[in-house]
Every structure is written in structure tokens, then in C-alpha cells.
Amino acid sequence: MELSQASPSIYKEEPGYFRRLNAVDWLYALALCAAALFALNRYADYMDIYEKVILLCTAPVFAALGWHWKPMRWLLPLVGLLSLWAIAMYDGSLAAANQKFFLKYMLSSQSAILWMSALFVFSTVFYWIGLLSKQGFSGAGAKLCWAAVVLGAVGMMVRWYESYLIGPDVGHIPVSNLYEVFILFALITALFYLYYEQRYATRQLGAFVMLIISAAVAFLLWYTVSRDAADIQPLVPALQSWWMKIHVPANFIGYGTFALAAMVGTAYLLKSHGILADRLPALEVLDDVMYKSISVGFAFFTVATILGALWAAEAWGGYWSWDPKETWALIVWLNYAAWLHMRLMSGLRGRMAAWWALVGLLVTTFAFLGVNMFLSGLHSYGAL
């Protein structure tokens, strides 16, 4: 009898999802909806029906993301305000990028992306100092990483606007060449890492994940100097499609999370061999981050592959042509499908899973970059 009387106070019903939201959450969502409606009202004449639908869908999607991960509530408004400030300074002319101080040295697309690159490298250094010295430098690494994300995102937004200043027929979303997608890769990988850093309350992994981002930055800078890659070029006919706006970002969420999983796998292997064992998170935490990263990446990569097939049918008349890029995308998909199958069916854990994730990075890197360097095909517009 006493147990039954106590039960109501012991087993309290959890409040519903929406009841857990506070006034700031709803204000954030309303601000996103207002911004989307403003953009639709002002730029509707420049958008087709697909772009309008994507724009309207972004508000609830990013609202839900901000409710789940609170830093998005300040990141999106800050990127938006800085981007609008930069756009206003252009006053309709690209020449302003070399004439106005804040554009020339901070907020033009090339300046912002150079700052992003420098901040990612500094972030890597501070994460490693924090890991090796057990001091509080990892906190500085995290702040520098956030700053890099902000400036990189602003750079991408401003580059989008700059493409339209060159000409309405040139304007396009900045995900069309290796220069732009390397920036996208760095931003996506950093954001996913920062999420896991907060989720697991650990900064020790930053030293490893930032290495792959710094490698991407190093390639980006080399590519910029040796190929004048920062110049905005008109889209080739195959890329003049709305499919690009959703296929490429989905693809690079996959690439970014696969890279993150590989670097976490590297940390797992070091700890399992007693290297930095007292400074890295528990093996169970590393295993869980690796698994969740690959799961998210596989889901988005699957969607991207399907979208790519639909795009190919529209552009080239067939869903699949065994083009080198398509073939290697399939190899990447099969690799991670096998990893997840072994994890779920056979309980794959430990060093084998970590080595597999690390080898998967090599496969993914070749699909991402090696195909463009050594093979030719329908995707030759991405060649180095």
C-alpha cells in the first residue's frame, strides 16, 4: 500500500518536447521565420520554385537544430548580421572589396576565408598544447575554432553575393568547385566536432580532429595560390541545376563526419596502446563518437548518392554511368555500409573498428580528391 501511494511522486511524467522550450527558444524560431519570409519577399524574383521551398524549409529545420544545440542560436544570427553588414558595404560594386577597410581586411570573401584558415591552424596548435600540457589551452582552441567557423561561414555568404555582382548569369551558391567545397568541408567537420565536444564534455579530441581540418586548409591555401582558385567563375552547364544546392552539402556532411570518425579512431588506437592514455577520453566514449559520426555521415551520404543519381538522369540522361566519381562514391558507401553492418550485427568494436574507420578515410579521400587528380570522366569539371 505504501509503495502504491509513493508511486505518483516517484514516477513523474516527463514534460513534452515543446513544453520544455522557453521564451528564448520560441523567439529564436520566430526570428528565423521572419528572416526567411523577408528574404522570400525581397529575392523571390531571383529564385525558382525549388529555391523558395528550400528557403522556407530552412527556418523550421534550423529552429529545431537551435533547440537541440543551443550554440546555433547565436551562431546563425551572428553570421547573418556580419554577412548583411559586409553586403551593405559593397554598395553594389565589387570594387569596394579593395577600397573599404573592413571589406579589404576582414569581411570580403577572400579576407574572411583567409582569417578562417589562420584561426583553424591556431586552434589546432592550442588544442595540442592543451592536450600535451594538461593546461587550459584547449579552451582557447575551442574559441578559436568557433571564430573560424563564424568567419568561414560569412566568407561563403559574401562569396555568394559577390558572384551575383559579377553578373546575374554568373551568380550561384558557392559549392561548385574544389576551392568552395574544401571550405564547406572544413566548416562541416568543425561544427560536428564542436557538437560532440559539448555533448561529451571533452576537448581532448580537438587536437586530432583539427589536424584533418588544418590539412584541408593547407590544401586550400596551396590551391588558391597555385591555381587562382579564389576567382569566381561561371558555372559549367552540368552544374547549372538546383540539384547542386542539396546534393553537394549532403555529400560533404558525409565526408566531414567520416573524416571526424577517422581522427577519433586514431585517438582510440593511441589510447588502446597506452599512448596519451591518461589524457584522452575513455575508450567507450571514443567508440561512441566514432559510431555516431559514421552513422550520421552514412545517412547523409546515402541521400546525396540518391540525389546525385537523379541529377545525373537530368543532366546526362541516365541514373548511373559508372563514371569514376560515381564508382568511387559507391565504394565509399559500401565501405561504411559494411562497417555499420558489422557494428550492428556482429558487435564490431575496439581496434578493428578504429583501423577500419582510419582506412575508410583513405578511401574517402581518394573519392573526394584522388579521382579528380588521377581519373577523368563526366565529373572532370572538378579536376585540379
Side-chain angles (χ1 to χ4, degrees):
M1 183 65 181
E2 291 179 0
L3 181 60
S4 63
Q5 290 176 345
S7 295
S9 62
I10 296 174
Y11 301 104
K12 293 182 179 179
E13 183 179 352
E14 288 290 328
Y17 178 78
F18 290 105
R19 292 179 63 185
R20 295 198 296 268
L21 302 177
N22 57 35
V24 176
D25 292 321
W26 287 111
L27 183 62
Y28 164 75
L30 289 173
L32 282 180
C33 291
L37 291 174
F38 171 79
L40 183 65
N41 178 66
R42 183 161 185 174
Y43 302 110
D45 293 340
Y46 300 96
M47 296 186 288
D48 57 31
I49 183 62
Y50 304 106
E51 291 167 328
K52 293 175 184 177
V53 170
I54 292 172
L55 174 62
L56 291 175
C57 288
T58 55
V61 168
F62 280 102
L65 184 58
W67 291 343
H68 177 69
W69 189 33
K70 302 305 183 184
M72 294 300 293
R73 298 192 307 188
W74 64 260
L75 177 64
L76 290 180
L78 180 58
V79 170
L81 289 173
L82 288 175
S83 300
L84 290 173
W85 181 34
I87 289 170
M89 283 191 286
Y90 274 93
D91 198 23
S93 172
L94 267 178
N98 294 316
Q99 297 169 353
K100 297 187 178 180
F101 179 84
F102 280 107
L103 282 179
K104 185 174 182 179
Y105 295 107
M106 182 64 71
L107 294 179
S108 69
S109 65
Q110 291 190 39
S111 296
I113 290 164
L114 284 174
W115 274 109
M116 176 206 76
S117 302
L119 288 168
F120 273 139
V121 172
F122 287 137
S123 175
T124 306
V125 172
F126 276 95
Y127 268 120
W128 272 102
I129 293 174
L131 177 66
L132 297 176
S133 66
K134 295 185 179 181
Q135 301 299 320
F137 290 100
S138 293
K143 290 180 175 63
L144 288 167
C145 187
W146 275 114
V149 168
V150 170
L151 286 172
V154 170
M156 291 289 270
M157 294 298 103
V158 175
R159 183 177 176 86
W160 197 346
Y161 175 73
E162 289 173 350
S163 69
Y164 279 93
L165 288 181
I166 295 174
D169 57 330
V170 176
H172 60 272
I173 186 173
V175 293
S176 64
N177 56 39
L178 280 178
Y179 174 82
E180 294 166 348
V181 298
F182 259 91
I183 300 168
L184 183 65
F185 170 81
L187 294 177
I188 287 173
T189 307
L191 279 171
F192 270 95
Y193 164 70
L194 289 167
Y195 169 77
Y196 288 123
E197 178 181 280
Q198 185 184 66
R199 171 70 175 79
Y200 291 91
T202 176
R203 286 180 172 152
Q204 296 95 326
L205 293 179
F208 295 90
V209 178
M210 293 306 299
L211 284 177
I212 197 70
I213 296 175
S214 291
V217 164
F219 176 88
L220 178 68
L221 295 177
W222 168 81
Y223 193 48
T224 301
V225 172
S226 65
R227 300 289 192 277
D228 293 325
D231 294 342
I232 299 173
Q233 302 292 338
L235 291 177
V236 299
L239 296 179
Q240 294 174 5
S241 170
W242 72 276
W243 289 105
M244 181 180 72
K245 301 174 179 67
I246 51 178
H247 167 72
V248 176
N251 221 19
F252 278 86
I253 290 176
Y255 284 146
T257 51
F258 293 155
L260 192 157
M263 301 315 292
V264 173
T266 302
Y268 188 103
L269 291 170
L270 290 176
K271 185 176 179 70
S272 67
H273 285 90
I275 302 172
L276 299 174
D278 60 331
R279 305 182 188 189
L280 291 172
L283 292 176
E284 293 77 10
V285 171
L286 296 173
D287 182 80
D288 196 44
V289 174
M290 189 164 50
Y291 166 62
K292 289 179 177 176
S293 297
I294 289 178
S295 297
V296 170
F298 182 76
F300 277 94
F301 197 78
T302 300
V303 171
T305 302
I306 295 170
L307 293 173
L310 295 172
W311 186 6
E314 179 183 283
W316 301 317
Y319 292 100
W320 198 268
S321 58
W322 295 106
D323 173 77
K325 197 75 169 181
E326 294 173 347
T327 302
W328 276 92
L330 178 61
I331 292 171
V332 171
W333 187 89
L334 290 172
N335 174 70
Y336 289 107
W339 193 98
L340 288 171
H341 174 78
M342 292 298 293
R343 165 85 181 207
L344 298 173
M345 297 296 104
S346 304
L348 179 70
R349 296 288 196 282
R351 294 179 184 175
M352 178 62 183
W355 274 114
W356 195 337
L358 192 55
V359 172
L361 177 61
L362 300 178
V363 176
T364 304
T365 301
F366 189 84
F368 174 18
L369 191 58
V371 170
N372 303 71
M373 296 174 64
F374 303 114
L375 303 175
S376 61
L378 294 173
H379 291 78
S380 58
Y381 48 78
L384 285 171

